[in-house]
Amino acid sequence: MSRIAYVNGQYLPREHAMVSVEDRGYQFADGVYEVCEVRGGKLIDERRHMARLDRSLKELRIARPMSAKALSVILHETVRRNRVRDGVVYLQVTRGVARRDFLFPAADTPPAVVVTARSADPVKLEATAAEGIGVITVPDIRWQRVDIKSVALLPNVLAKQAARDKGAREAWMVDAKGRVTEGGSSNAWIVTRDGKLITRPLGQDILPGITRSVVMDLIKDQGLAFEERAFTVEEAYAAREAFVTSASQIVQPVVSIDGRPVGNGAPGLIASALRRDYHRHAEVS
Ligand code: PMP
């Protein structure tokens, strides 16, 4: 947990870090967020995360709370005050505090900003990646604009809990045509029997993952076979490898889908190589 949180202009100890009951994030999930990896005390891919934040805010017509520079100072300061070397920094911006009403509040209502940071154990993360994770498939019951990184994550909460209840670590959500959209908190990838990397193209039905975009740069750089298209659950069962990407897990090998082993049931060579090489491509700030 974050020991110190930035809340609307102040750095506060956790027990005093509170938001109003009238915060529209709390009342309506009327807000957006970002999660950035912290490595060696530095932010990974901050520029891309901030560009996506801007896009999410614009799509929902929430005002930008402050300049990118000021926001960057707060992210770094929250990491520093929590003494995070390896972990994540979380940023949430909501439409602010106002009397509960569906309609947007007055135009001069300032957006509400919360930033927290917490450590993760890199040894434990590497141990998990060395083993790989299991995923289950569930129907994708989310709204039709999941490209916006909104805090409305109830379907993701239910999907990931369903995975946990079955002893898996992630849920792959599946559209009406039987094709995987993405994970509850990650983008989904497979490697076909003939060695081609496949991930779903961007659209309103998946989050444009930052880790996904950096991995795509890495794939192009290394000249690996790659196709951006939707894949079915059946194709995933038959894949040689599978993995997920997210800022908190980078590249995480998937070794079982719905209890069936992927490939030989061990982390794949391509996934493991992408994980190893990721930070040589990522931007550090
Ligand atoms: N899809 C969903 C639904 C997510 O919640 C996340 C993680 N926030 C991702 C994909 C991965 O995005 P990123 O690589 O930017 O962390």
Side-chain angles (χ1 to χ4, degrees):
M1 263 199 223
S2 200
R3 291 184 306 116
I4 306 285
Y6 172 91
V7 185
N8 297 322
Q10 290 181 292
Y11 294 95
L12 298 167
R14 185 175 58 236
E15 57 274 24
H16 298 297
M18 311 271 173
V19 294
S20 167
V21 293
E22 299 278 31
D23 189 297
R24 291 182 63 96
Y26 178 66
Q27 293 288 352
F28 297 113
D30 189 359
V32 300
Y33 74 108
E34 279 297 330
V35 179
C36 224
E37 186 197 8
V38 178
R39 198 165 185 256
K42 305 260 194 196
L43 268 61
I44 304 300
D45 304 321
E46 178 190 3
R47 200 174 44 84
R48 293 191 198 200
H49 281 279
M50 290 306 106
R52 185 174 63 186
L53 174 74
D54 265 357
R55 178 180 179 275
S56 297
L57 289 170
K58 207 182 258 164
E59 289 294 325
L60 297 182
R61 294 197 282 150
I62 296 174
R64 213 185 207 226
M66 60 188 83
S67 69
K69 184 92 191 78
L71 208 47
S72 179
V73 169
I74 293 168
L75 293 174
H76 285 88
E77 185 60 15
T78 307
V79 167
R80 193 185 69 76
R81 290 193 187 218
N82 283 286
R83 297 200 189 97
V84 176
R85 285 206 53 76
D86 299 295
V88 290
V89 59
Y90 174 90
L91 159 70
Q92 176 168 321
V93 181
T94 77
R95 205 182 302 276
V97 176
R99 189 177 70 92
R100 189 178 185 282
D101 183 351
F102 285 88
L103 301 178
F104 289 0
D108 61 353
T109 307
V113 181
V114 167
V115 180
T116 58
R118 69 176 195 219
S119 300
D121 179 354
V123 175
K124 232 167 147 181
L125 288 178
E126 282 312 312
T128 304
E131 264 188 27
I133 62 164
V135 306
I136 62 161
T137 58
V138 297
D140 193 337
I141 60 168
R142 299 175 299 163
W143 75 321
Q144 291 169 18
R145 287 304 309 274
V146 297
D147 57 314
I148 301 168
K149 199 164 171 58
S150 98
V151 295
L153 292 170
L154 189 51
N156 311 56
V157 166
L158 296 175
K160 288 183 75 86
Q161 185 60 43
R164 165 62 64 86
D165 293 346
K166 288 191 172 157
R169 292 284 281 269
E170 180 58 298
W172 277 9
M173 298 180 280
V174 179
D175 69 16
K177 292 184 181 154
R179 302 172 313 185
V180 174
T181 52
E182 61 183 330
S185 60
S186 58
N187 288 108
W189 297 72
I190 57 169
V191 181
T192 59
R193 291 265 165 211
D194 54 358
K196 194 184 268 181
L197 283 138
I198 314 278
T199 198
R200 192 173 176 109
L202 296 185
Q204 297 189 346
D205 44 14
I206 65 167
L207 186 79
I210 301 305
T211 320
R212 174 189 181 281
S213 73
V214 175
V215 165
M216 276 173 56
D217 291 350
L218 190 52
I219 287 168
K220 279 176 198 148
D221 200 62
Q222 299 190 347
L224 299 171
F226 170 63
E227 200 179 335
E228 217 176 347
R229 65 163 174 84
F231 59 85
T232 64
V233 174
E234 302 308 321
E235 274 184 284
Y237 288 158
R240 184 199 286 175
E241 294 186 29
F243 61 94
V244 295
T245 54
S246 75
S248 58
Q249 302 184 88
I250 303 304
V251 176
Q252 181 69 256
V254 169
V255 294
S256 78
I257 303 172
D258 292 329
R260 306 165 190 225
V262 176
N264 62 5
L269 289 177
I270 292 180
S272 302
L274 291 171
R275 179 180 181 85
R276 189 192 58 221
D277 295 342
Y278 186 86
H279 289 102
R280 263 183 260 152
H281 269 252
E283 222 175 81
V284 180
S285 61

